Amino acid sequence: MSLPLWFDPEEILIGGAWHKTQVCLPVECPSDGREMAQIARGGKPEIDAAVEAAQAALAGEWGQLSAAERGRLLLKMSGLVLAHAEDLAVIEALDVGKPLTQARADVAALARYLEFYGGAADKVMGETIPYLNGYTAYTLREPHGVTAHIVPWNYPMQIIGRSVAAALAMGNAAVVKPAEEASLTALAFGRIAQEAGMPAGALNIVPGLGEEAGAALSAHPGIQHISFTGSVAVGQHIQAAAAANAVPVTLELGGKSPQLVFTDADLDRALPFLVNAGIQNAGQTCSASSRILVQRSRYDEVLEKMAARYRGLTAGPALGDHDLGPLISGRQKEIVEGYLALASDLTIAAQGRIAEDVPAGGHYVAPTLIGGGHGAHRLAQEEIFGPAQIVIPFEDEEEAVAIANGTEYGLVASVWSENGGRTMRLARRLRAGQVFLNNYGAGGGVELPFGGIGKSGHGREKGFEALYGFSTLKTVAAWHG
Ligand code: NAD
């Protein structure tokens, strides 16, 4: 099936107009390895123009809109996303290689982010502060100014929804640099913003390479905030670039998120979560649960029940809507296969299968469940970013916490236990930005603040909290006698 594009993917959005660049980048279809389209290769000149356009928007029509008017615009965009839902889902599925069902869920999440932040735009309030006699003191929440959004390839629509919608709700003007591997729905988002009547320059979309457009954007002296989602190594570059301009940065990086299964867990409820959290989006999810920690008395049972599920899993082309699709690229496949080779001293408990007749150029890896693990193993320490989970036994709560907290990451964790006291206790002890008790992922959680500690990053997006991150606080003290 060809891409259902209703726009020219070689055009980029700057200052409310669509432009072409001198050179383009190929768009590979991860399901078959073929070139599907080309996108623009923006660089420093385009980033400079986009930042200038954003500054002009703040000084112009966009900066004059009330919070309610910005909210209405986002709500209109939410409706338009739903109107384009099936085309967006097919584009995202083909571009990222994700099963159509997942791509449809991503469209729904994008619409929901726009709805949530559209509704919230005029509900962010300051405070009045009791102060000295003769004064009235209060705080104002104001936009940072120009916000930079550097987006990865794994969930383009969801990540644009959570960061760009929140930034626009607060009145910032955004410059978005989508990932070179998957930029198409970011460009579609720009078209939808224009269809909704977004003032020129409020939203600018410049695809390109990380080391060109991404580096130019993160180092630009005209931006006032950076939202980065991606790898730890690049996140460190971005933070250094932000430091050079002394601007705040939100880093949403990787993870090694554990699920802790205690003897008294409701296994029937837990099992689908244990497995799906590992294989969703072929494991290319920052919050993928790649470590399953199981209390020893039920270890064999959990491993076998997970293995039975793995044996039923199939990887295949995105539009075939299998349990999982291909990985994003040949490079990512090599990395994941390199990790799987490290399992030679462990046990491969089960593998799913790759569908027959998958195109030879696709980047397929069979989902793999690894048993016999321990917390110090590289597979239990490093982010694999592929469809593999390692299952590790523990004796008691103390050991479970030590293993769970024993990586450089701290993004998400979950606890499966019918002992309410234990779950509440562990919710406090686990080092993670989000902890789920007897669930994992909570249905997407647009409303739930999200972000990491340690090498998983810092700052929070999603939920109402993002609106504080995408604004700055001004204190006003008035003397009136
Ligand atoms: P990546 O860091 O390679 O790329 C992310 C973005 O940064 C892309 O747009 C890329 O072009 C850009 N970039 C690359 N080099 C750059 C540079 N020198 N300067 C500026 N920008 C640059 O990451 P990836 O491979 O696209 O994504 C995978 C990683 O992202 C994983 O580690 C994953 O855990 C993480 N991730 C985290 C979250 C989260 O919310 N915490 C969500 C999705 C992905």
Side-chain angles (χ1 to χ4, degrees):
M1 184 178 183
S2 59
L3 284 164
L5 294 174
W6 70 93
F7 54 90
D8 182 349
E10 293 178 26
E11 291 182 337
I12 66 180
L13 178 60
I14 298 177
W18 292 90
H19 305 264
K20 291 225 176 192
T21 50
Q22 302 266 321
V23 273
C24 283
L25 295 167
V27 179
E28 191 201 34
C29 174
S31 295
D32 58 22
R34 280 183 306 167
E35 184 177 319
M36 300 186 288
Q38 297 217 324
I39 51 168
R41 178 173 168 178
K44 189 169 180 322
E46 288 76 18
I47 291 292
D48 288 347
V51 172
E52 212 172 292
Q55 288 165 334
L58 290 166
E61 186 191 346
W62 174 243
Q64 295 305 312
L65 292 191
S66 68
E69 287 168 325
R70 294 195 304 269
R72 263 180 233 129
L73 250 173
L74 295 177
L75 290 170
K76 196 164 174 197
M77 284 181 70
S78 177
L80 288 169
V81 165
L82 294 176
H84 287 285
E86 196 54 19
D87 283 349
L88 286 168
V90 172
I91 294 169
E92 192 84 316
L94 287 170
D95 205 10
V96 181
K98 59 177 73 196
L100 202 47
T101 300
Q102 176 64 50
R104 287 183 178 134
D106 292 358
V107 177
L110 173 58
R112 173 72 186 123
Y113 278 118
L114 289 161
E115 180 186 56
F116 182 87
Y117 289 117
D122 60 355
K123 292 162 193 74
V124 182
M125 295 174 204
E127 293 177 323
T128 51
I129 302 169
Y131 195 49
L132 303 175
N133 285 340
Y135 284 84
T136 296
Y138 57 95
T139 58
L140 296 171
R141 281 266 162 208
E142 296 184 338
H144 290 291
V146 179
T147 51
H149 304 259
I150 299 181
V151 177
W153 44 262
N154 57 349
Y155 289 88
M157 278 192 289
Q158 290 219 30
I159 291 167
I160 284 171
R162 79 180 189 208
S163 84
V164 179
L168 293 175
M170 289 310 296
N172 299 283
V175 179
V176 182
K177 208 301 278 175
E180 46 272 50
E181 296 88 347
S183 289
L184 295 175
T185 50
L187 295 165
F189 184 78
R191 298 281 170 175
I192 285 170
Q194 284 205 306
E195 214 179 316
M198 181 72 68
L203 172 68
N204 305 276
I205 317 260
V206 183
L209 298 174
E211 57 274 25
E212 294 177 0
L217 179 57
S218 54
H220 201 292
I223 59 169
Q224 280 79 40
H225 181 280
I226 307 177
S227 162
F228 172 78
T229 304
S231 61
V232 176
V234 176
Q236 288 166 329
H237 274 297
I238 302 283
Q239 184 155 1
N245 284 318
V247 296
V249 57
T250 300
L251 296 183
E252 301 275 8
L253 309 177
K256 197 69 199 171
S257 301
Q259 299 197 58
L260 281 54
V261 185
F262 285 85
T263 303
D264 60 358
D266 176 350
L267 212 51
D268 288 338
R269 178 172 162 77
L271 267 169
F273 289 89
L274 296 179
V275 173
N276 291 347
I279 56 119
Q280 179 180 320
N281 214 40
Q284 302 166 119
T285 305
C286 53
S287 54
S289 176
S290 50
R291 294 185 296 156
I292 307 296
L293 280 45
V294 186
Q295 198 157 20
R296 198 174 291 279
S297 57
R298 290 191 86 178
Y299 179 82
D300 290 342
E301 179 193 355
V302 171
L303 187 64
E304 184 38 46
K305 287 188 166 156
M306 287 183 73
R309 284 182 177 257
Y310 261 74
R311 287 182 206 108
L313 295 174
T314 309
L319 298 187
D321 211 20
H322 298 269
D323 301 299
L324 54 156
L327 299 186
I328 186 76
S329 62
R331 171 89 192 108
Q332 189 68 19
K333 183 179 171 190
E334 263 174 43
I335 293 172
V336 171
E337 286 175 346
Y339 272 117
L340 293 178
L342 296 177
S344 55
D345 57 339
L346 304 175
T347 316
I348 302 294
Q351 279 196 304
R353 63 184 197 93
I354 295 172
E356 282 137 37
D357 306 330
V358 293
H363 311 303
Y364 300 94
V365 170
T368 304
L369 183 69
I370 300 161
H374 57 87
H377 198 283
R378 271 186 70 191
L379 290 173
Q381 288 288 322
E382 296 176 24
E383 188 181 45
I384 300 171
F385 229 53
Q389 291 176 293
I390 182 164
V391 190
I392 303 170
F394 66 82
E395 294 299 334
D396 53 18
E397 225 174 276
E398 280 311 307
E399 195 187 9
V401 170
I403 299 172
N405 289 347
T407 74
E408 293 182 314
Y409 294 107
L411 195 55
V412 175
S414 87
V415 182
W416 294 92
S417 169
E418 293 298 294
N419 178 334
R422 184 196 334 260
T423 57
M424 299 301 283
R425 194 160 53 240
L426 290 183
R428 287 184 179 263
R429 293 189 69 193
L430 290 169
R431 290 184 72 251
Q434 278 191 335
V435 176
F436 295 104
L437 305 179
N438 292 314
N439 72 98
Y440 193 94
V446 166
E447 304 81 354
L448 308 179
F450 176 74
I453 57 178
K455 289 261 170 72
S456 291
H458 51 76
R460 296 291 177 265
E461 291 186 346
K462 304 178 72 162
F464 215 81
E465 193 66 27
L467 298 168
Y468 300 134
F470 281 110
S471 59
T472 182
L473 192 77
K474 179 184 281 172
T475 304
V476 181
W479 183 79
H480 40 67

